[in-house]
Amino acid sequence: MYLEEKTKLPKKVIQNLDGDIENLKVYLVQDYNSNLLKRMVNFGVNIFGDLGMDEWGLVPQIRHGNVYMLREESKKKIIGLAILMRDWEDTDKCYLFDYAIAPDFHGQGLGFHFLKAVIENVKDQGFNKMGLTVDVDNAGAIKLYKDKIGFEILDMNKDEYGEGHDRYIMNLDFNNLNYKKN
Ligand SMILES: CC(C)(COP(=O)(O)OP(=O)(O)OC[C@H]1O[C@@H](n2cnc3c(N)ncnc32)[C@H](O)[C@@H]1OP(=O)(O)O)[C@@H](O)C(=O)NCCC(=O)NCCS
């Protein structure tokens, strides 16, 4: 079994989506074959370009981190991907390494509902904090994390990934969850 079903998004979220979407389920990727791996790599490259994760980055995340996928049960198209690792210094904390929704589904609430499902799942695993970094110019993602979920900006690291990559360092304490959508 490559994908372990964790939860499904509420019906009212699915009903409002463009297109003929029957259901959307959140899966934990437990294993893969070459087609599934290729689809995950392509999903990231289409969104992040050269900064997307290749097979050499993704496989260790599947094997040793947690990779969540959002998709319809009967379809192969990936609608969302969330990649998480454990924080070495703070063992109650996980780090959201990559987070994205397929571009043709942006702005319909999936970024919010998928992340909420992922947070609830890692919470069930015993984590109580989530960290991430986000580009200071990524207004959409910042709004989602900060205003809709409750992440705090802890710091701004200039040139975090090299020149011109200024990143906000964000943290979410699960005791301060502040979901702003139904
Ligand atoms: C960031 C991302 C995951 C948001 O997904 P989404 O499905 O479009 O988000 P939602 O529709 O759930 O939006 C949630 C809230 O965030 C805000 N938001 C999302 N994208 C926005 C944008 N481009 N501009 C302004 N606000 C935006 C909306 O205000 C929305 O709140 P609302 O209900 O008040 O309108 C998606 O744009 C994406 O995959 N981007 C490319 C990858 C990326 O940048 N990932 C983050 C890396 S750290």
Side-chain angles (χ1 to χ4, degrees):
M1 185 185 52
Y2 300 141
L3 303 178
E4 181 188 331
E5 184 181 330
K6 286 297 177 188
T7 186
K8 47 184 144 188
L9 295 200
K11 268 210 177 97
K12 62 181 175 193
V13 178
I14 313 297
Q15 277 161 2
N16 292 330
L17 294 175
D18 297 340
D20 196 12
I21 303 292
E22 282 171 19
N23 58 57
L24 279 181
K25 296 192 170 179
V26 176
Y27 297 93
L28 189 59
V29 182
Q30 296 285 21
D31 204 351
Y32 57 89
N33 59 17
S34 59
N35 283 336
L36 180 60
L37 188 61
K38 221 178 280 166
R39 275 198 298 278
M40 287 193 278
V41 169
N42 286 341
F43 177 86
V45 169
N46 285 339
I47 292 173
F48 297 111
D50 287 350
L51 302 177
M53 216 183 259
D54 65 10
E55 290 80 352
W56 294 82
L58 201 48
V59 167
Q61 298 287 355
I62 295 169
R63 298 249 184 259
H64 304 284
N66 263 2
V67 177
Y68 291 90
M69 182 184 288
L70 181 68
R71 57 163 234 197
E72 275 183 278
E73 187 174 24
S74 55
K75 304 268 169 67
K76 293 189 169 160
K77 180 182 158 79
I78 298 172
I79 301 208
L81 216 52
I83 302 178
L84 290 118
M85 54 199 252
R86 227 175 241 282
D87 190 297
W88 206 268
E89 277 150 30
D90 184 348
T91 50
D92 293 336
K93 183 171 178 176
C94 56
Y95 177 76
L96 184 61
F97 189 84
D98 246 4
Y99 185 68
I101 296 292
D104 44 336
F105 284 93
H106 283 180
Q108 300 182 64
L110 294 184
F112 173 82
H113 287 284
F114 180 37
L115 187 52
K116 182 177 173 194
V118 168
I119 289 167
E120 293 304 313
N121 197 265
V122 291
K123 211 168 133 190
D124 288 346
Q125 294 185 47
F127 289 95
N128 59 31
K129 281 169 241 150
M130 185 180 284
L132 60 81
T133 79
V134 58
D135 192 293
V136 296
D137 294 325
N138 193 343
I142 293 166
K143 187 167 177 196
L144 168 64
Y145 299 140
K146 190 165 142 304
D147 301 345
K148 301 285 163 176
I149 304 273
F151 278 85
E152 281 183 289
I153 297 178
L154 297 183
D155 218 338
M156 196 281 275
N157 286 4
K158 205 165 166 39
D159 301 331
E160 177 77 345
Y161 299 128
E163 211 178 323
H165 295 289
D166 300 344
R167 309 284 292 192
Y168 285 129
I169 311 299
M170 288 193 168
N171 186 63
L172 178 70
D173 183 329
F174 294 167
N175 295 315
N176 299 332
L177 279 166
N178 191 14
Y179 298 130
K180 288 276 174 52
K181 230 178 196 173
N182 297 316

